[in-house]
Amino acid sequence: MRAVSDRSTTVPEPAVVPGRPSYEDVYLHLGPPNGALVRILVRMSGDIDEARDLAQETLSRLWLNYEAVECPDAWCVRVGTRLFLDYSRHRRTADRFQPLLTEFGNGDSGSVDRVAVRMAMLKLHPSQRALLILRYYCDLGLAEVADVLGLNPSTCRGLAVQAQAALRRLIEERA
């Protein structure tokens, strides 16, 4: 039996797992200094703070699963997108952005501008928004988008047609 005085009161050093980079290395390679993940998530969520939170969660999960991940960049886009969709299911983003949308909606513009597209994107269903961002902003093919979203490619193609039609309708309503 060990005596109470034999117990160490020092905090043990964090274990270094061979093959796993430090969290700082992961953050510097894929996080906000690089910014690609945050930019994609900003396009999906419409909010920089929410995007940073989602990116932080994604990078934490990447660091924990680093040995099992073959392509960290693609893995981060997939996980970040799924986190956004999960987050959107639990929260009504349309209500949160309604004051912002009405603030920008006062100007009359004859052409489709960035603000009109952004406002219309925020009104789309989160899964439609994620699909359009991945397809056109990230320039992924439909098969890759289907893989990221966990859908059948034919289902993804149908959802893409619906999302494009909904976006076109929302932009025309604003004009």
Side-chain angles (χ1 to χ4, degrees), residues 124 127-129 131-132 158-168:
L124 288 176
S127 61
Q128 291 177 328
R129 190 179 328 149
L131 185 140
L132 291 175
L159 184 60
V161 170
Q162 292 173 356
Q164 290 168 350
L167 182 63
R168 189 176 298 113

Side-chain angles (χ1 to χ4, degrees), residues 132-159:
L132 291 175
I133 296 295
L134 292 172
R135 178 75 175 103
Y136 297 106
Y137 182 74
C138 297
D139 200 27
L140 298 179
L142 276 173
E144 295 168 313
V145 173
D147 186 46
V148 168
L149 297 177
L151 299 172
N152 184 325
S154 60
T155 305
C156 186
R157 189 175 301 111
L159 184 60

Side-chain angles (χ1 to χ4, degrees), residues 40-102:
I40 291 168
L41 293 170
V42 164
R43 298 283 183 179
M44 288 183 195
S45 67
D47 182 13
I48 185 73
D49 294 326
E50 183 178 324
R52 287 180 179 154
D53 290 344
L54 291 169
Q56 185 72 29
E57 177 66 22
T58 301
L59 293 173
S60 297
R61 291 181 185 198
L62 172 65
W63 183 74
L64 291 173
N65 300 304
Y66 198 82
E67 295 83 21
V69 175
E70 291 179 25
C71 181
D73 294 326
W75 190 91
C76 284
V77 170
R78 173 182 290 157
V79 171
T81 300
R82 290 183 178 170
L83 284 172
F84 163 72
L85 292 173
D86 288 343
Y87 186 73
S88 296
R89 280 187 203 106
H90 299 289
R91 195 162 168 229
R92 295 180 182 240
T93 55
D95 292 342
R96 184 168 169 222
F97 291 111
Q98 195 60 40
L100 180 64
L101 295 176
T102 55

Side-chain angles (χ1 to χ4, degrees), residues 8-22:
S8 175
T9 57
T10 61
V11 177
E13 291 292 320
V16 175
V17 178
R20 180 188 292 176
S22 69

